[in-house]
Coordinates of all heavy atoms in Angstrom, one line a residue:
M1 N 182.4 119.7 224.4 CA 182.1 119.4 225.8 C 180.6 119.0 226.0 O 179.8 119.7 225.4 CB 182.4 120.6 226.6 CG 182.8 120.3 228.0 SD 183.3 121.7 228.9 CE 184.5 121.1 230.0
V2 N 180.3 118.0 226.7 CA 178.9 117.6 226.8 C 178.4 118.0 228.2 O 179.0 117.8 229.2 CB 178.8 116.0 226.7 CG1 177.4 115.6 226.9 CG2 179.4 115.5 225.4
A3 N 177.3 118.7 228.1 CA 176.7 119.1 229.4 C 176.2 117.9 230.2 O 175.5 117.0 229.7 CB 175.5 120.1 229.1
Q4 N 176.4 117.9 231.5 CA 175.9 116.9 232.4 C 174.4 117.1 232.6 O 173.9 118.2 233.0 CB 176.7 117.0 233.7 CG 178.1 116.7 233.6 CD 178.4 115.2 233.8 OE1 177.7 114.5 234.7 NE2 179.3 114.6 233.1
R5 N 173.6 116.0 232.5 CA 172.2 116.1 232.8 C 172.0 115.8 234.3 O 172.6 114.9 234.8 CB 171.4 115.0 231.9 CG 171.3 115.4 230.5 CD 170.7 114.3 229.7 NE 169.4 114.0 230.1 CZ 168.7 112.9 229.8 NH1 169.2 112.1 228.9 NH2 167.5 112.6 230.3
R6 N 171.1 116.6 234.9 CA 170.9 116.4 236.3 C 169.9 115.2 236.5 O 168.9 115.2 235.8 CB 170.3 117.6 236.9 CG 171.3 118.8 237.1 CD 170.8 119.9 237.9 NE 170.4 119.4 239.2 CZ 169.8 120.2 240.1 NH1 169.4 121.4 239.8 NH2 169.5 119.7 241.3
L7 N 170.2 114.3 237.3 CA 169.3 113.2 237.6 C 168.6 113.4 239.0 O 169.1 114.1 239.8 CB 170.2 111.9 237.7 CG 170.9 111.5 236.4 CD1 171.8 110.3 236.7 CD2 169.9 111.1 235.4
P8 N 167.4 112.9 239.1 CA 166.7 112.9 240.4 C 167.6 112.4 241.5 O 168.3 111.5 241.3 CB 165.5 112.1 240.2 CG 165.3 112.1 238.7 CD 166.6 112.1 238.1
T9 N 167.5 112.9 242.7 CA 168.3 112.7 243.7 C 168.3 111.2 244.2 O 169.3 110.5 244.4 CB 168.1 113.5 245.0 OG1 166.7 113.5 245.3 CG2 168.6 114.9 244.7
T10 N 167.0 110.7 244.4 CA 167.0 109.3 244.9 C 165.8 108.6 244.1 O 165.0 109.2 243.5 CB 166.6 109.3 246.3 OG1 165.3 109.8 246.5 CG2 167.6 110.0 247.2
L11 N 166.0 107.3 244.2 CA 164.9 106.5 243.6 C 163.5 106.7 244.2 O 162.5 106.7 243.6 CB 165.3 105.0 243.8 CG 164.4 103.9 243.0 CD1 164.3 104.2 241.6 CD2 164.9 102.5 243.3
R12 N 163.6 107.0 245.6 CA 162.3 107.3 246.3 C 161.6 108.5 245.7 O 160.4 108.4 245.6 CB 162.7 107.5 247.8 CG 161.5 107.6 248.7 CD 161.9 107.8 250.1 NE 162.6 106.6 250.6 CZ 162.0 105.6 251.2 NH1 160.7 105.6 251.3 NH2 162.6 104.6 251.7
T13 N 162.4 109.5 245.4 CA 161.8 110.7 244.9 C 161.2 110.4 243.5 O 160.1 110.8 243.2 CB 162.9 111.8 244.7 OG1 163.6 112.0 245.9 CG2 162.3 113.1 244.2
R14 N 161.9 109.7 242.7 CA 161.3 109.3 241.4 C 160.1 108.5 241.5 O 159.1 108.8 240.8 CB 162.4 108.6 240.6 CG 163.6 109.4 240.2 CD 164.7 108.5 239.5 NE 164.1 108.0 238.3 CZ 164.9 107.2 237.5 NH1 166.1 106.9 237.9 NH2 164.4 106.7 236.4
L15 N 160.0 107.6 242.4 CA 158.9 106.8 242.7 C 157.7 107.6 243.1 O 156.6 107.5 242.6 CB 159.1 105.6 243.6 CG 159.8 104.4 243.1 CD1 160.1 103.5 244.3 CD2 158.9 103.8 242.1
R16 N 158.0 108.6 244.0 CA 156.9 109.4 244.5 C 156.3 110.2 243.4 O 155.1 110.4 243.3 CB 157.4 110.3 245.6 CG 156.2 110.8 246.5 CD 156.8 111.7 247.6 NE 157.5 112.9 247.2 CZ 158.7 113.1 247.7 NH1 159.3 112.4 248.6 NH2 159.3 114.2 247.2
H17 N 157.1 110.8 242.5 CA 156.6 111.5 241.4 C 155.8 110.6 240.5 O 154.8 111.0 239.9 CB 157.8 112.2 240.6 CG 158.5 113.3 241.4 ND1 159.6 113.9 241.0 CD2 158.1 113.9 242.5 CE1 159.9 114.8 241.8 NE2 159.0 114.8 242.8
L18 N 156.2 109.5 240.2 CA 155.5 108.5 239.4 C 154.1 108.2 240.0 O 153.1 108.2 239.3 CB 156.3 107.2 239.2 CG 157.2 107.2 238.0 CD1 157.9 105.8 238.0 CD2 156.4 107.3 236.8
E19 N 154.2 108.0 241.3 CA 152.8 107.6 242.0 C 151.9 108.8 241.9 O 150.7 108.6 241.8 CB 153.1 107.3 243.4 CG 153.7 105.9 243.6 CD 154.2 105.6 244.9 OE1 154.2 106.6 245.8 OE2 154.7 104.4 245.2
Q20 N 152.4 109.9 242.0 CA 151.5 111.2 241.9 C 150.8 111.2 240.5 O 149.7 111.7 240.4 CB 152.2 112.4 242.2 CG 152.5 112.5 243.7 CD 153.5 113.7 244.1 OE1 154.0 114.2 243.2 NE2 153.7 113.8 245.3
K21 N 151.6 110.9 239.5 CA 151.1 111.0 238.1 C 150.1 109.9 237.8 O 149.2 110.0 237.1 CB 152.2 110.8 237.1 CG 153.0 112.1 236.9 CD 154.0 111.9 235.7 CE 155.1 112.9 235.8 NZ 156.1 112.5 234.7
W22 N 150.4 108.7 238.4 CA 149.6 107.5 238.1 C 148.2 107.5 238.8 O 148.1 107.7 240.0 CB 150.3 106.3 238.5 CG 150.1 105.1 237.6 CD1 149.2 104.1 237.8 CD2 150.8 104.8 236.4 NE1 149.3 103.3 236.8 CE2 150.2 103.7 235.9 CE3 151.8 105.5 235.7 CZ2 150.7 103.1 234.6 CZ3 152.3 105.0 234.5 CH2 151.7 103.8 234.0
P23 N 147.1 107.3 238.1 CA 145.8 107.3 238.8 C 145.7 106.0 239.6 O 146.3 105.0 239.2 CB 144.8 107.4 237.6 CG 145.5 106.9 236.4 CD 147.0 107.3 236.7
D24 N 144.8 106.0 240.6 CA 144.6 104.9 241.3 C 143.9 103.8 240.5 O 142.8 104.0 240.0 CB 143.6 105.2 242.5 CG 143.2 104.1 243.4 OD1 143.9 103.0 243.3 OD2 142.4 104.2 244.2
P25 N 144.6 102.6 240.5 CA 144.0 101.6 239.6 C 142.7 100.9 240.1 O 142.0 100.2 239.4 CB 145.1 100.5 239.5 CG 145.8 100.7 240.8 CD 145.7 102.2 241.2
G26 N 142.4 101.2 241.4 CA 141.2 100.6 242.0 C 141.3 99.1 242.1 O 142.3 98.6 242.3
C27 N 140.1 98.4 242.1 CA 140.2 97.0 242.3 C 140.9 96.3 241.1 O 140.7 96.6 239.9 CB 138.7 96.5 242.3 SG 138.6 94.7 242.3
L28 N 141.9 95.4 241.5 CA 142.7 94.8 240.5 C 141.9 93.6 239.8 O 142.3 93.2 238.7 CB 144.0 94.2 241.1 CG 144.9 95.3 241.8 CD1 146.1 94.6 242.4 CD2 145.3 96.3 240.6
G29 N 140.9 93.2 240.4 CA 140.1 92.0 239.9 C 139.3 92.4 238.7 O 139.1 91.6 237.8
C30 N 138.9 93.7 238.6 CA 138.0 94.1 237.5 C 138.6 95.2 236.7 O 137.9 95.9 236.0 CB 136.6 94.3 237.9 SG 136.5 95.5 239.2
R31 N 139.8 95.5 236.9 CA 140.4 96.7 236.3 C 140.3 96.7 234.8 O 140.0 97.8 234.2 CB 142.0 96.7 236.6 CG 142.7 97.9 236.2 CD 144.1 97.9 236.8 NE 144.9 96.7 236.6 CZ 146.1 96.6 237.0 NH1 146.6 97.5 237.6 NH2 146.7 95.4 236.8
D32 N 140.5 95.6 234.1 CA 140.4 95.5 232.7 C 139.0 95.6 232.1 O 138.8 95.7 230.9 CB 141.2 94.3 232.1 CG 140.7 93.1 232.7 OD1 140.0 93.1 233.7 OD2 140.9 92.0 232.0
R33 N 138.0 95.4 233.1 CA 136.6 95.4 232.6 C 136.0 96.8 232.7 O 135.0 97.1 232.1 CB 135.8 94.5 233.5 CG 136.1 93.1 233.2 CD 135.4 92.2 234.2 NE 134.0 92.3 234.3 CZ 133.2 91.8 235.2 NH1 133.8 90.9 236.1 NH2 131.9 92.0 235.3
R34 N 136.6 97.7 233.4 CA 136.2 99.1 233.6 C 136.1 99.8 232.3 O 137.1 99.8 231.6 CB 136.9 99.8 234.7 CG 136.1 100.0 236.0 CD 136.9 100.5 237.2 NE 137.5 99.4 237.8 CZ 138.6 99.4 238.4 NH1 139.5 100.4 238.3 NH2 139.1 98.4 239.0
G35 N 135.1 100.6 232.1 CA 135.0 101.4 230.9 C 134.5 100.7 229.8 O 134.1 101.3 228.8
R36 N 134.2 99.4 229.9 CA 133.6 98.6 228.8 C 132.1 98.8 228.9 O 131.5 99.2 229.9 CB 133.9 97.1 229.0 CG 135.4 96.8 228.6 CD 135.6 95.4 228.5 NE 136.9 95.1 228.3 CZ 137.4 93.8 228.2 NH1 136.6 92.8 228.4 NH2 138.7 93.6 227.9
I37 N 131.4 98.4 227.8 CA 130.0 98.6 227.7 C 129.4 97.2 227.5 O 130.0 96.4 226.7 CB 129.6 99.5 226.6 CG1 130.0 100.9 226.9 CG2 128.1 99.4 226.4 CD1 129.8 101.9 225.8
A38 N 128.4 96.8 228.3 CA 127.7 95.6 228.1 C 126.3 95.8 227.8 O 125.6 96.7 228.4 CB 127.8 94.7 229.4
F39 N 125.7 95.0 226.9 CA 124.4 95.1 226.6 C 123.6 94.0 227.2 O 124.0 92.8 227.2 CB 124.1 95.0 225.0 CG 124.7 96.1 224.3 CD1 125.9 96.1 223.7 CD2 123.9 97.2 224.1 CE1 126.5 97.2 223.1 CE2 124.4 98.4 223.4 CZ 125.6 98.3 222.9
A40 N 122.5 94.3 227.9 CA 121.8 93.3 228.7 C 120.3 93.4 228.3 O 119.7 94.6 228.3 CB 122.0 93.4 230.2
L41 N 119.7 92.3 228.1 CA 118.2 92.2 227.9 C 117.5 92.0 229.3 O 117.9 91.0 230.0 CB 117.9 91.2 227.0 CG 116.3 91.0 226.7 CD1 115.7 92.3 226.0 CD2 116.1 89.8 225.8
V42 N 116.7 92.9 229.8 CA 115.9 92.7 231.0 C 114.4 92.7 230.8 O 114.0 93.3 229.8 CB 116.3 93.8 232.0 CG1 117.8 93.7 232.4 CG2 116.0 95.2 231.5
R43 N 113.7 92.1 231.7 CA 112.3 92.1 231.5 C 111.6 92.9 232.6 O 112.0 92.7 233.8 CB 111.8 90.6 231.5 CG 110.2 90.5 231.3 CD 109.9 89.1 231.0 NE 110.5 88.7 229.8 CZ 111.0 87.5 229.5 NH1 111.1 86.6 230.5 NH2 111.5 87.1 228.3
A44 N 110.7 93.7 232.2 CA 110.0 94.5 233.3 C 108.9 93.7 233.9 O 108.1 93.0 233.2 CB 109.5 95.8 232.6
L45 N 108.8 93.8 235.2 CA 107.7 93.0 235.8 C 106.5 93.9 236.1 O 106.6 95.2 236.1 CB 108.3 92.4 237.1 CG 109.5 91.4 236.9 CD1 109.9 90.9 238.3 CD2 109.1 90.3 236.0
A46 N 105.4 93.3 236.7 CA 104.3 94.1 236.9 C 104.4 95.1 238.0 O 103.9 96.2 238.0 CB 103.1 93.2 237.3
D47 N 105.4 94.8 239.0 CA 105.6 95.7 240.1 C 106.6 96.8 239.7 O 107.0 97.7 240.6 CB 106.0 95.0 241.3 CG 107.4 94.3 241.1 OD1 107.9 94.3 240.0 OD2 107.8 93.7 242.1
G48 N 107.1 96.9 238.5 CA 107.9 97.9 238.1 C 109.4 97.5 238.2 O 110.3 98.3 237.6
S49 N 109.7 96.4 238.8 CA 111.1 96.0 238.9 C 111.5 95.3 237.6 O 110.7 95.0 236.8 CB 111.3 95.1 240.1 OG 110.6 93.9 239.9
V50 N 112.8 95.1 237.4 CA 113.3 94.4 236.2 C 114.1 93.3 236.6 O 114.9 93.3 237.6 CB 114.1 95.4 235.3 CG1 113.1 96.5 234.6 CG2 115.2 96.0 235.9
V51 N 114.1 92.2 235.8 CA 115.0 91.1 236.0 C 115.8 90.8 234.8 O 115.3 91.0 233.7 CB 114.2 89.8 236.4 CG1 113.5 89.9 237.7 CG2 113.1 89.5 235.3
P52 N 117.1 90.4 235.0 CA 117.9 90.2 233.7 C 117.4 89.0 233.0 O 117.1 88.0 233.6 CB 119.3 90.0 234.4 CG 119.1 89.8 235.8 CD 117.7 90.3 236.2
V53 N 117.4 89.0 231.7 CA 117.1 87.9 230.9 C 118.3 87.3 230.2 O 118.6 86.1 230.3 CB 116.1 88.3 229.8 CG1 115.8 87.2 228.8 CG2 114.8 88.9 230.5
A54 N 119.2 88.3 229.7 CA 120.4 87.7 229.0 C 121.4 88.8 228.9 O 121.1 90.0 228.8 CB 120.0 87.3 227.6
G55 N 122.7 88.4 228.9 CA 123.8 89.4 228.6 C 124.2 90.2 229.9 O 125.2 90.9 229.7
Y56 N 123.6 89.8 231.0 CA 124.0 90.7 232.2 C 125.4 90.1 232.7 O 125.5 88.9 233.0 CB 123.0 90.6 233.3 CG 122.8 91.9 234.0 CD1 121.9 92.9 233.6 CD2 123.6 92.1 235.2 CE1 121.8 94.1 234.3 CE2 123.4 93.4 235.8 CZ 122.6 94.4 235.4 OH 122.4 95.5 236.1
P57 N 126.4 91.1 232.8 CA 127.7 90.6 233.2 C 127.7 90.1 234.7 O 127.0 90.7 235.5 CB 128.7 91.7 233.0 CG 127.8 92.9 232.8 CD 126.4 92.5 232.5
E58 N 128.6 89.2 235.0 CA 128.8 88.7 236.4 C 129.5 89.8 237.1 O 130.4 90.5 236.7 CB 129.6 87.4 236.4 CG 129.0 86.2 235.7 CD 127.8 85.7 236.5 OE1 127.9 85.7 237.7 OE2 126.7 85.4 235.9
P59 N 129.2 89.9 238.5 CA 130.0 90.8 239.3 C 131.4 90.3 239.5 O 131.7 89.2 239.3 CB 129.2 90.8 240.7 CG 128.1 89.8 240.5 CD 128.1 89.2 239.2
C60 N 132.3 91.3 239.8 CA 133.6 90.9 240.0 C 133.8 90.0 241.2 O 133.1 90.3 242.2 CB 134.4 92.3 240.3 SG 136.1 92.0 240.8
E61 N 134.6 89.0 241.1 CA 134.8 88.1 242.2 C 135.5 88.7 243.4 O 135.4 88.3 244.6 CB 135.6 86.8 241.8 CG 134.8 85.9 240.8 CD 135.7 84.8 240.4 OE1 136.8 84.6 240.8 OE2 135.2 84.0 239.6
R62 N 136.3 89.7 243.2 CA 137.0 90.3 244.2 C 136.3 91.5 245.0 O 136.3 91.5 246.2 CB 138.3 90.9 243.6 CG 139.3 91.2 244.6 CD 140.7 91.4 243.8 NE 141.6 92.0 244.7 CZ 143.0 92.0 244.4 NH1 143.3 91.4 243.3 NH2 143.8 92.5 245.2
C63 N 135.6 92.3 244.2 CA 134.9 93.4 244.9 C 133.4 93.4 244.9 O 132.7 94.1 245.5 CB 135.4 94.8 244.3 SG 134.8 95.1 242.7
G64 N 132.8 92.5 244.1 CA 131.4 92.2 244.0 C 130.7 93.2 243.2 O 129.4 93.2 243.1
Q65 N 131.4 94.1 242.5 CA 130.7 95.1 241.7 C 130.7 94.7 240.2 O 131.6 93.9 239.8 CB 131.5 96.5 241.8 CG 131.6 96.9 243.2 CD 131.4 98.4 243.4 OE1 131.8 99.2 242.6 NE2 130.9 98.7 244.5
V66 N 129.8 95.3 239.5 CA 129.8 95.1 238.0 C 130.4 96.4 237.4 O 129.7 97.4 237.5 CB 128.3 94.9 237.5 CG1 128.3 94.7 235.9 CG2 127.7 93.6 238.1
P67 N 131.6 96.3 236.9 CA 132.3 97.4 236.5 C 131.9 98.0 235.1 O 132.1 99.1 234.8 CB 133.8 97.1 236.5 CG 133.7 95.6 236.3 CD 132.4 95.1 236.8
E68 N 131.2 97.2 234.3 CA 130.8 97.6 233.0 C 129.8 98.6 233.0 O 129.0 98.6 234.0 CB 130.4 96.5 232.2 CG 131.5 95.5 231.6 CD 131.7 94.3 232.6 OE1 131.1 94.4 233.7 OE2 132.5 93.5 232.3
R69 N 129.7 99.5 232.0 CA 128.6 100.4 231.9 C 127.6 99.6 231.1 O 127.8 99.0 230.1 CB 129.0 101.6 231.1 CG 127.9 102.6 230.9 CD 128.5 103.8 230.1 NE 127.5 104.7 229.7 CZ 126.9 105.7 230.5 NH1 127.4 105.8 231.7 NH2 126.0 106.5 230.0
I70 N 126.4 99.4 231.8 CA 125.4 98.5 231.2 C 124.3 99.3 230.5 O 123.7 100.2 231.0 CB 124.7 97.6 232.3 CG1 125.9 96.8 233.0 CG2 123.7 96.7 231.8 CD1 125.4 96.0 234.1
I71 N 124.1 98.8 229.3 CA 123.0 99.4 228.5 C 121.9 98.3 228.5 O 122.1 97.3 228.0 CB 123.4 99.7 227.0 CG1 124.5 100.8 227.1 CG2 122.2 100.2 226.2 CD1 125.0 101.2 225.8
R72 N 120.7 98.6 229.2 CA 119.7 97.7 229.3 C 118.6 97.9 228.2 O 118.2 99.0 228.0 CB 119.1 97.9 230.7 CG 120.0 97.6 231.8 CD 119.4 97.6 233.2 NE 118.7 98.9 233.4 CZ 117.9 99.1 234.4 NH1 117.6 98.2 235.3 NH2 117.3 100.3 234.6
E73 N 118.3 96.8 227.6 CA 117.2 96.7 226.7 C 116.0 96.2 227.5 O 116.1 95.0 227.9 CB 117.5 96.0 225.4 CG 116.5 96.2 224.4 CD 116.9 95.5 223.1 OE1 117.9 94.9 223.1 OE2 116.1 95.6 222.1
I74 N 115.0 96.9 227.7 CA 113.9 96.6 228.5 C 112.8 96.0 227.7 O 112.2 96.6 226.8 CB 113.4 97.7 229.4 CG1 114.6 98.3 230.3 CG2 112.2 97.3 230.3 CD1 114.3 99.5 231.0
E75 N 112.3 94.8 228.1 CA 111.2 94.2 227.5 C 110.0 94.5 228.4 O 109.9 94.0 229.5 CB 111.4 92.7 227.4 CG 110.6 92.0 226.4 CD 111.0 90.5 226.4 OE1 110.7 89.8 227.3 OE2 111.6 90.0 225.4
P76 N 109.0 95.4 228.0 CA 108.0 95.8 228.8 C 107.1 94.6 229.3 O 106.9 93.7 228.5 CB 107.2 96.8 228.0 CG 108.1 97.3 227.0 CD 108.9 96.0 226.7
Y77 N 106.6 94.7 230.5 CA 105.8 93.6 231.1 C 104.5 93.4 230.2 O 103.8 94.4 229.9 CB 105.4 93.9 232.5 CG 104.4 92.9 233.1 CD1 104.9 91.6 233.5 CD2 103.1 93.1 233.2 CE1 104.1 90.7 234.0 CE2 102.3 92.2 233.8 CZ 102.8 91.0 234.2 OH 101.9 90.0 234.7
G78 N 104.2 92.3 229.7 CA 102.9 92.0 229.0 C 103.0 92.5 227.6 O 102.0 92.4 227.0
A79 N 104.0 93.0 227.1 CA 104.1 93.4 225.8 C 105.4 93.0 225.1 O 106.3 93.8 224.8 CB 104.0 95.0 225.8
P80 N 105.5 91.7 224.8 CA 106.7 91.2 224.1 C 106.8 91.8 222.8 O 105.8 92.0 222.1 CB 106.5 89.7 224.1 CG 105.0 89.5 224.2 CD 104.5 90.7 225.0
G81 N 108.1 92.1 222.4 CA 108.2 92.7 221.1 C 108.4 94.2 221.2 O 109.2 94.8 220.3
R82 N 107.8 94.8 222.1 CA 108.0 96.3 222.3 C 109.1 96.5 223.2 O 109.0 96.1 224.4 CB 106.6 96.9 222.8 CG 105.7 97.3 221.7 CD 104.5 98.0 222.3 NE 104.9 99.2 223.1 CZ 104.3 99.5 224.3 NH1 103.3 98.9 224.7 NH2 104.7 100.6 224.8
R83 N 110.1 97.2 222.8 CA 111.2 97.3 223.7 C 111.7 98.8 223.8 O 111.5 99.5 222.8 CB 112.4 96.4 223.2 CG 112.2 94.9 223.4 CD 113.4 94.2 222.9 NE 113.1 92.8 223.0 CZ 113.8 91.8 222.4 NH1 114.8 92.2 221.6 NH2 113.5 90.5 222.6
T84 N 112.2 99.1 224.9 CA 112.8 100.5 225.1 C 114.1 100.4 225.7 O 114.4 99.6 226.5 CB 111.7 101.3 225.8 OG1 112.4 102.5 226.3 CG2 111.2 100.5 227.1
G85 N 115.0 101.3 225.2 CA 116.3 101.3 225.7 C 116.6 102.1 227.0 O 115.8 103.1 227.2
S86 N 117.4 101.8 227.8 CA 117.8 102.5 229.0 C 119.3 102.4 229.3 O 119.8 101.3 229.3 CB 116.9 102.0 230.2 OG 117.4 102.4 231.4
V87 N 119.9 103.5 229.6 CA 121.3 103.5 230.0 C 121.4 103.7 231.5 O 120.8 104.6 232.0 CB 122.1 104.5 229.3 CG1 123.5 104.5 229.7 CG2 121.9 104.4 227.8
T88 N 122.1 102.8 232.2 CA 122.3 103.0 233.6 C 123.7 103.3 234.0 O 124.6 103.0 233.2 CB 121.9 101.7 234.4 OG1 122.7 100.6 233.9 CG2 120.5 101.4 234.3
Ligands
LIG101 ZN1 136.6 94.3 241.2

């Protein structure tokens, strides 16, 4: 004799349980970029601000955010060749 397995009552119940387990995917435009790391070279200016030189990722077209975790390599103002790392 085979024991009958109990099934969830409705599809709606099953879906609700699935939705509770599933984390919010957030913006669909940059979902696959989140959690990645990008290296960018930036240059420090005299006033203390920095401008991107190379490698800075484009913002998401949908939400306007840059989802990658950016590791900036800073080229100090007036001192080419001397660089210091910074994680943002
Ligand atoms: Zn986005």
